[in-house]
Amino acid sequence: MTAARDYEHLHHLVDRLSPTQVRRLRLIITEDEELSQVDQQVPDAAGGESDEGDLLPASFLALSGSIDAPADYAERHDDYIRERTERERSTSE
């Protein structure tokens, strides 16, 4: 794999991790001497140290709990919409 493909693959992999898996990965990164230095250079998304519940607004957390979709929904949303439209057409005919 090229470096660019490794980078993209890693991004897709991280996007698919559960919150528990993200915490475990973060722990591994902070315990590694080289990776922890990079981690310290990147500012937190919330602008500093915060509790886990403070990372996202409550309105987003309420919304995220109501979404029931496959893990690859963001990448394949057009396909899912097309499939649903085709199903609805076939049942209405």
Side-chain angles (χ1 to χ4, degrees), residues 13-81:
L13 176 65
V14 170
D15 288 341
R16 296 186 64 135
L17 295 176
S18 70
T20 302
Q21 291 170 323
V22 169
R23 285 190 295 275
R24 287 176 55 203
L25 180 59
R26 185 72 186 255
L27 179 63
I28 291 168
I29 289 171
T30 57
E31 291 179 346
D32 182 274
E33 184 177 334
E34 183 179 349
L35 294 176
S36 67
Q37 293 173 5
V38 175
D39 180 55
Q40 292 171 1
Q41 295 171 359
V42 178
D44 285 341
E49 292 297 321
S50 65
D51 292 336
E52 185 179 321
D54 295 338
L55 295 177
L56 296 171
S59 59
F60 179 81
L61 294 175
L63 173 64
S64 67
S66 67
I67 298 172
D68 183 24
D72 63 347
Y73 188 76
E75 296 171 2
R76 294 194 53 227
H77 69 279
D78 290 341
D79 297 330
Y80 287 114
I81 292 170

Side-chain angles (χ1 to χ4, degrees), residues 80-92:
Y80 287 114
I81 292 170
R82 187 178 311 106
E83 290 170 9
R84 182 177 176 182
T85 304
E86 289 172 0
R87 277 195 315 265
E88 288 175 358
R89 279 189 202 146
S90 65
T91 58
S92 66

